[in-house]
């Protein structure tokens, strides 16, 4: 069952994703929840406290998902070694889970929409957008591919080739047409990329 703190967090995130972080006040959040501001302040000190809790929740979701799918953990050397030893099927399953995380799961999907909306208005939001959705994933994959293929000069290009179409699919999902089968599109992309990786 959803706690009051969780309801406040989700309602705030919905408003941030709809109207933008700066445009949403504590009064608007409490009004949407049908509670007095004083009741809200028993759970969160201010709007910034709510926002920081949203970031913490996103980090928790990342950790929980990696554990659920038994993805390699530890320092980068240990992670690289782990990826060398797992099958392409497992990587495909995790890639699909990541895609669903950013598109179908309510909390993370709203978070992505909020950052997409706010990245042009607020430098902190732009930095978070890069961290979670652009440069962060590319940097991680660059280190990963550099360890796997041992060709550092090609690693970033491989990271972009792998992640670029997935990033584009987020926008396709947001404006999905009836004929778009993004699950099949994603599967084919991972399959084609795995064949490319076999040549290294």
């Amino acid at each position: 069952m959803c706690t009051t703190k969780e309801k406040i967090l989700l309602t705030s995130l919905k408003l941030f994703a709809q109207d933008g972080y700066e445009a949403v006040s504590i009064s608007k959040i409490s009004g949407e929840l049908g509670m007095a501001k004083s009741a809200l302040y028993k759970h969160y000190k201010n709007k910034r406290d709510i926002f920081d809790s949203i970031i913490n929740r996103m980090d928790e979701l990342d950790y929980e998902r990696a554990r659920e799918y038994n993805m390699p953990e530890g320092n980068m050397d240990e992670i690289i070694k782990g990826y060398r030893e797992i099958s392409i099927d497992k990587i495909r399953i995790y890639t699909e889970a990541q895609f669903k995380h950013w598109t179908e799961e309510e909390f993370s999907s709203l978070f992505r929409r909020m950052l997409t909306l706010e990245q042009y208005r607020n430098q902190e939001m732009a930095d978070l957008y890069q961290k979670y959705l652009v440069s962060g994933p590319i940097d991680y994959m660059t280190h990963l591919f550099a360890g796997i293929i041992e060709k550092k000069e090609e690693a970033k290009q491989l990271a972009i080739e792998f992640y670029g179409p997935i990033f584009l699919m987020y926008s396709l999902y947001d404006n999905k047409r009836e004929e778009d089968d993004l699950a099949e599109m994603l599967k084919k992309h991972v399959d084609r990329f795995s064949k490319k990786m076999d040549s290294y």
Side-chain angles (χ1 to χ4, degrees):
M1 184 152 178
C2 195
T3 66
T4 301
K5 279 181 77 79
E6 288 167 343
K7 282 180 184 174
I8 294 170
L9 220 55
L10 182 58
T11 299
S12 300
L13 184 53
K14 283 178 180 176
L15 291 171
F16 296 159
Q18 176 184 298
D19 300 328
Y21 176 76
E22 296 295 342
V24 176
S25 64
I26 287 290
S27 295
K28 189 165 189 175
I29 295 168
S30 60
E32 189 73 17
L33 286 159
M35 66 164 54
K37 283 197 288 184
S38 58
L40 189 151
Y41 285 133
K42 289 178 182 176
H43 299 281
Y44 296 99
K45 292 181 287 187
N46 48 40
K47 187 170 78 165
R48 181 69 208 198
D49 190 25
I50 292 172
F51 182 77
D52 289 342
S53 296
I54 288 170
I55 298 293
N56 290 338
R57 182 63 185 138
M58 284 303 303
D59 291 341
E60 288 168 8
L61 289 171
D62 280 346
Y63 179 73
E64 288 166 7
R65 199 166 54 262
R67 291 297 296 270
E68 179 184 352
Y69 289 90
N70 297 311
M71 299 312 289
E73 296 180 276
N75 61 40
M76 188 52 70
D77 288 341
E78 291 167 336
I79 290 170
I80 289 165
K81 183 175 183 293
Y83 270 100
R84 281 180 180 150
E85 294 170 356
I86 62 178
S87 69
I88 190 63
D89 283 340
K90 190 168 183 180
I91 292 173
R92 182 192 298 109
I93 289 166
Y94 186 62
T95 301
E96 289 169 355
Q98 285 283 81
F99 187 77
K100 286 180 180 178
H101 166 72
W102 286 116
T103 55
E104 296 178 19
E105 293 172 17
E106 185 177 33
F107 197 90
S108 42
S109 175
L110 287 168
F111 183 75
R112 176 175 64 83
R113 288 170 187 248
M114 175 191 71
L115 294 184
T116 302
L117 180 67
E118 288 288 83
Q119 63 174 314
Y120 303 109
R121 300 172 179 167
N122 180 304
Q123 187 57 51
E124 182 184 13
M125 296 290 189
D127 293 342
L128 288 168
Y129 181 80
Q130 288 293 317
K131 173 188 171 183
Y132 284 97
L133 291 159
V134 187
S135 58
I138 289 173
D139 288 346
Y140 177 83
M141 290 175 201
T142 298
H143 286 298
L144 195 63
F145 289 136
I148 292 171
I149 67 173
E150 298 177 351
K151 293 181 180 178
K152 291 183 180 179
E153 67 280 2
E154 294 182 39
K156 185 160 190 176
Q157 186 59 39
L158 283 171
I160 292 169
E161 285 178 26
F162 181 69
Y163 184 65
I166 296 170
F167 180 77
L168 178 61
M169 283 182 224
Y170 295 147
S171 291
L172 288 173
Y173 180 89
D174 291 338
N175 298 280
K176 195 158 72 169
R177 300 166 302 179
E178 197 173 310
E179 65 270 24
D180 289 339
D181 187 346
L182 294 176
E184 183 62 22
M185 201 183 295
L186 185 63
K187 180 181 179 299
K188 285 180 178 177
H189 169 60
V190 176
D191 286 344
R192 286 186 186 124
F193 192 82
S194 68
K195 288 174 185 173
K196 182 184 179 88
M197 290 299 293
D198 287 341
S199 65
Y200 284 94

